[in-house]
Amino acid sequence: MRAHNFGAGPCTLPLALLEEAQAEFTDYAGSGMSVVELSHRSPQYTAIHREALSLAREVSGAPDDFDAVVIPGGATMQFAMIPLNLLGGERRRGAYVVAGTWGRLALGDARRHGKAYSAWSGEEHGFRKMPEKGEIELTPGTRYLHVTSNETIGGIRMTEIPESEAPLVWDMSSDFLTRPIHWDRTDLVYGGVQKNLAPAGMALVFVRRSALRDVPSHLPRFLDYRWYAEKDSVGNTPPVFSIYMMGKMLKLIRNLGGVAGLERRTAEKARMVYRVIDESNGYYSNPVDRRHRSHTNVVFRLPTSGAEERFLERAAAMGLVGLKGHKSVGGCRASLYAGLESESAARLASFMEDFRTKNS
Ligand SMILES: *Cc1c(COP(=O)(O)O)cnc(C)c1O
């Protein structure tokens, strides 16, 4: 039986895509070898690579003055590359919105490199909300404002684009392509692909070419965005399987109506689960300010930790897995990423109703 996988990452991928990959696996396009054995300079792999990156552009709607690149190392690698590449030149400070664990980690890495500061923090409120209009404070010399569009652990989503004199840098790891990107105010957007788009191993990054004017010349090539752009992300051997699967997933998203289609589908899945929480007379609870509830990571608690344990056990017995909350916060979390079928969300919602009826 195939699991309904609500894990927060690596994500579930649609069965149809896995089967397609399986059918192609040992003999890709008549090459006599699998995708993971092909030379990354071969015509077969080059076609896979170009198509995946061109779909990334097409589906995201990236303007022509942005480069689309894939970089090994996940989102965490970007926490380092962003300050390394962008904090040269005159405006040398990176501002960070800290609305959860990931924002805090991004700021921590930027501080190791150079001048970075918190422009807003939700920590004292227990990470339950995003900044309100006018709350973000930038100091002079700020090069960029880094924001996490969706805090995966707290289950909080940024609904309003922050006002900022500095260009925005977005960590969209956990809601990549499930919402439009505000290109005109943005210098860089990135996400680890393992939440919505592909198997783990890399980040998909869009960067405005003019933002790379002051990249320090001492950077090793592997840490320099310009190298990825110049070499079309094949400067060295790329994570070929991840790129191949990303291409399949992007094609699927395009067929679902692109970002707008995925946004609707994701909101619909989230509605199913939040409805059960809200209609449970407090049996299930969600701590997040309603306006900022995540569509991709729904966090919830049950009345006692004993009830949570039984809930997770019963759910697993029904094939509903990956529902344990992050260890830093406990409770439960249902991740509703792009690869999760709507039917899985519906199953979860009906299981939750049923569990409450029997246990409250
Ligand atoms: C998962 C996650 C990360 C870390 O991603 P890695 O690819 O594992 O480094 C960073 N930011 C957010 C918002 C995430 O959800």
Side-chain angles (χ1 to χ4, degrees):
M1 183 180 77
R2 181 156 166 85
H4 299 278
N5 180 0
F6 298 90
C11 63
T12 186
L13 292 167
L15 181 61
L17 297 196
L18 297 173
E19 286 174 345
E20 200 181 294
Q22 183 181 43
E24 292 171 354
F25 195 67
T26 52
D27 183 9
Y28 183 76
S31 63
M33 61 184 89
S34 73
V35 171
V36 296
E37 297 165 300
L38 282 173
S39 162
H40 59 294
R41 311 284 178 203
S42 64
Q44 294 96 332
Y45 178 72
T46 301
I48 291 170
H49 190 90
R50 293 214 173 122
E51 183 178 32
L53 284 172
S54 112
L55 278 163
R57 267 189 177 289
E58 181 189 336
V59 173
S60 68
D64 287 342
D65 56 334
F66 276 73
D67 284 315
V69 296
V70 285
I71 301 180
T76 303
M77 176 78 156
Q78 296 309 305
F79 292 173
M81 278 182 72
I82 288 159
L84 284 169
N85 281 264
L86 300 189
L87 295 183
E90 281 174 10
R91 303 164 77 207
R92 289 170 180 275
R93 291 158 71 79
Y96 284 73
V97 170
V98 179
T101 307
W102 293 114
R104 186 169 59 197
L105 288 169
L107 171 60
D109 271 349
R111 276 195 171 130
R112 283 165 192 239
H113 165 70
K115 290 188 178 155
Y117 65 96
S118 164
W120 185 89
S121 171
E123 191 149 17
E124 62 191 74
H125 309 289
F127 289 144
R128 287 165 188 215
K129 59 194 279 294
M130 284 285 175
E132 304 289 343
K133 253 196 172 68
E135 284 183 348
I136 294 173
E137 287 177 31
L138 299 190
T139 62
T142 298
R143 169 67 185 82
Y144 60 79
L145 175 65
H146 179 283
V147 293
T148 312
S149 55
N150 183 77
E151 280 285 356
T152 320
I153 293 173
I156 325 168
R157 168 179 189 265
M158 188 170 266
T159 39
E160 290 203 22
I161 334 171
E163 284 168 13
S164 154
E165 310 91 73
L168 298 171
V169 169
W170 297 86
D171 176 357
M172 299 192 89
S173 294
S174 51
D175 62 358
F176 222 0
L177 304 185
T178 70
R179 62 193 298 174
I181 295 168
H182 303 276
W183 298 105
D184 53 328
R185 310 217 4 228
T186 294
D187 266 4
L188 192 147
V189 185
Y190 68 99
V193 294
Q194 74 280 13
K195 306 276 163 67
N196 274 299
L197 294 175
M202 61 182 194
L204 172 62
V205 181
F206 298 99
V207 57
R208 188 187 289 278
R209 227 159 280 135
S210 63
L212 300 177
R213 260 192 295 242
D214 295 319
V215 176
S217 54
H218 63 75
L219 285 189
R221 292 167 305 152
F222 203 74
L223 298 175
D224 189 327
Y225 288 119
R226 295 170 306 181
W227 186 61
Y228 292 89
E230 273 162 29
K231 302 285 183 185
D232 199 21
S233 306
V234 270
N236 74 330
T237 323
V240 294
F241 189 69
S242 190
I243 293 166
Y244 160 78
M245 290 302 292
M246 183 178 83
K248 292 191 184 300
M249 192 66 197
L250 286 167
K251 213 177 285 176
L252 178 90
I253 294 173
R254 186 179 62 184
N255 294 343
L256 289 170
V259 168
L262 192 56
E263 186 175 34
R264 273 195 305 279
R265 210 171 106 102
T266 308
E268 181 52 38
K269 288 188 279 190
R271 241 190 319 275
M272 290 185 223
V273 183
Y274 284 120
R275 188 183 58 77
V276 177
I277 294 171
D278 293 339
E279 293 177 1
S280 71
N281 284 322
Y283 185 78
Y284 298 109
S285 59
N286 168 284
V288 179
D289 182 320
R290 273 179 188 250
R291 294 165 303 156
H292 302 145
R293 282 176 163 183
S294 170
H295 289 183
T296 41
N297 307 100
V298 180
V299 297
F300 55 96
R301 311 264 353 189
L302 279 74
T304 63
S305 55
E308 282 169 358
E309 256 170 59
R310 280 194 305 282
F311 174 88
L312 293 170
E313 255 170 47
R314 287 294 308 136
M318 307 279 293
L320 304 163
V321 303
L323 287 164
K324 200 171 163 60
H326 190 268
K327 60 184 185 305
S328 63
V329 292
C332 303
R333 170 176 56 176
S335 296
L336 311 172
Y337 296 137
L340 186 90
E341 306 290 352
S342 298
E343 198 228 322
S344 296
R347 287 268 187 113
L348 172 65
S350 94
F351 168 74
M352 286 173 70
E353 274 178 346
D354 196 45
F355 187 87
R356 175 180 70 90
T357 316
K358 291 189 177 129
N359 291 276
S360 60

